[in-house]
């Protein structure tokens, strides 16, 4: 049954995020294209100004898409679970675990996709700038120069191996944050519905309260670790220390996310009150 719920949830939500991500990629291409146009040396101030506006548009698009998709899923979860739609949702022949898990998985997946799309849009923007200003010499193409740069002893050095471990730890933390971020939003809305007359304000208050608690817990765990390592080790590169720190933060995020999941499931199962 969980598979059917996931399939239905995915079909119901994919259009808006895909549209917003498409707009973001278009903004990245338009902003990058400005560096391929002879507008920056124009005597008419309007052309350089239009280029600056396109760059600002891309920056605003990154923020707007991230916030827009987050707000879209938050509103959808609230309506599906705690308004008139909730009467139908909560009468489905599924358990509260299956219902909540289907929404959490879908939201976490789209959080991850959104973050990757933002990263891809920045890569497209930067890549277009590189193509506009960097030209390898000696008749080499950019691809050939890149392959030659990769084929050096530097990339096999211990420093790059440490950097590789650092990148893996960042990816793990990235995935953990997608999970915990989803559960913070779900838990905040679920706790907020207990504030009978001010559900939205309750959800906003719960969101900031949960994030404050997470920051305190993370600081209490990470700060002593950082102090101990700085006092007891000679650090040639920061990568090993940061790798361990990111893995600890990822573990904390996952534990908090799991805890918030069970709290939300309990409130939905035992304390649910619809509008």
């Amino acid at each position: 049954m969980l598979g059917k719920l996931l399939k239905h949830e995915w079909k119901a939500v994919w259009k808006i995020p895909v549209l917003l991500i498409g707009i973001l990629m278009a903004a990245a291409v338009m902003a990058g294209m400005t560096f391929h146009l002879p507008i920056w040396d124009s005597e008419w101030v309007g052309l350089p100004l239009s280029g600056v506006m396109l760059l600002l548009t891309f920056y605003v698009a990154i923020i707007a898409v991230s916030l827009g998709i987050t707000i879209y899923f938050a509103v959808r979860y609230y309506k599906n679970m705690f308004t008139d739609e909730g009467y139908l949702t909560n009468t489905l022949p599924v358990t509260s675990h299956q219902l909540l898990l289907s929404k959490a998985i879908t939201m976490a997946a789209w959080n991850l996709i959104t973050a990757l799309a933002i990263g891809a849009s920045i890569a497209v923007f930067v890549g277009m700038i590189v193509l506009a200003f960097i030209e390898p010499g000696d008749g080499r193409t950019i691809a050939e120069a890149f392959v030659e740069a990769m084929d050096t002893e530097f990339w096999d050095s211990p420093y790059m191996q440490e950097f590789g471990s650092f990148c893996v730890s960042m990816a793990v933390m990235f995935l953990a944050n997608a999970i915990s971020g989803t559960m913070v939003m779900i838990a905040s809305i679920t706790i907020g519905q207990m504030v009978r007359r001010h559900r939205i304000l309750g959800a906003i208050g719960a969101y900031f309260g949960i994030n404050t608690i997470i920051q305190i817990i993370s600081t209490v765990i990470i700060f002593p670790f950082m102090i101990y390592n700085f006092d007891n080790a000679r650090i040639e590169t920061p990568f090993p220390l940061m790798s361990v720190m990111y893995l600890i933060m990822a573990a904390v995020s996952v534990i908090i996310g799991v805890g918030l999941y069970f709290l939300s499931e309990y409130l939905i199962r035992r304390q649910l009150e619809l509008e």
Side-chain angles (χ1 to χ4, degrees):
M1 195 64 187
L2 177 60
K4 292 182 179 179
L5 286 173
L6 285 170
K7 184 178 179 180
H8 176 270
E9 191 73 14
W10 192 268
K11 285 184 177 180
V13 304
W14 71 270
K15 293 181 181 179
I16 297 298
V18 167
L19 175 62
L20 293 176
I21 290 172
I23 293 172
L24 174 63
M25 298 304 295
V29 172
M30 289 190 294
M33 280 297 297
T34 59
F35 293 93
H36 293 260
L37 301 175
I39 62 175
W40 304 103
D41 296 327
S42 174
E43 296 181 357
W44 182 48
V45 70
L47 288 178
L49 182 60
S50 64
V52 172
M53 292 302 295
L54 284 174
L55 297 179
L56 290 175
T57 299
F58 175 51
Y59 175 74
V60 172
I62 291 175
I63 299 175
V65 168
S66 179
L67 288 177
I69 291 177
T70 299
I71 292 172
Y72 168 72
F73 278 104
V75 172
R76 175 177 169 77
Y77 174 75
Y78 175 73
K79 286 186 174 181
N80 277 179
M81 298 296 293
F82 305 118
T83 63
D84 290 343
E85 293 181 19
Y87 288 100
L88 176 61
T89 302
N90 289 283
T91 55
L92 293 173
V94 295
T95 65
S96 56
H97 273 297
Q98 291 174 326
L99 185 60
L100 183 60
L101 194 59
S102 67
K103 295 187 177 299
I105 291 174
T106 303
M107 292 163 68
W110 275 110
N111 278 345
L112 188 60
I113 292 170
T114 301
L116 292 174
I118 291 173
S121 69
I122 294 173
V124 168
F125 174 67
V126 173
M128 295 185 73
I129 295 176
V130 170
L131 290 175
F133 290 101
I134 298 180
E135 296 181 3
D138 302 326
R140 296 174 300 168
T141 65
I142 292 177
E144 291 170 342
F146 178 77
V147 171
E148 183 178 331
M150 291 295 293
D151 189 21
T152 63
E153 294 182 358
F154 173 74
W155 299 99
D156 295 327
S157 67
Y159 298 106
M160 290 309 299
Q161 294 175 5
E162 292 174 354
F163 180 71
S165 299
F166 168 72
C167 291
V168 171
S169 67
M170 281 191 64
V172 172
M173 188 183 70
F174 182 70
L175 180 61
N177 285 340
I179 297 172
S180 65
T182 297
M183 289 315 308
V184 167
M185 182 172 66
I186 287 177
S188 299
I189 297 171
T190 305
I191 294 171
Q193 63 89 28
M194 298 178 65
V195 184
R196 307 292 185 245
R197 296 184 179 181
H198 303 284
R199 295 172 184 249
I200 296 177
L201 289 177
I204 294 173
Y207 179 83
F208 285 106
I210 292 172
N211 276 295
T212 300
I213 294 172
I214 291 174
Q215 292 298 321
I216 292 172
I217 294 173
S218 299
T219 301
V220 168
I221 294 174
I222 294 297
F223 189 71
F225 170 79
M226 296 290 291
I227 295 297
Y228 174 80
N229 280 276
F230 276 121
D231 286 343
N232 293 277
R234 293 185 60 187
I235 300 175
E236 296 182 2
T237 67
F239 296 134
L241 179 60
M242 294 180 68
S243 297
V244 176
M245 183 182 69
Y246 284 164
L247 290 176
I248 293 174
M249 292 172 64
V252 171
S253 295
V254 170
I255 292 171
I256 291 174
V258 171
L260 291 175
Y261 171 84
F262 284 107
L263 172 63
S264 300
E265 192 276 334
Y266 172 80
L267 293 176
I268 291 172
R269 178 163 44 88
R270 297 300 181 101
Q271 305 291 330
L272 180 64
E273 286 196 20
L274 305 179
E275 289 185 349

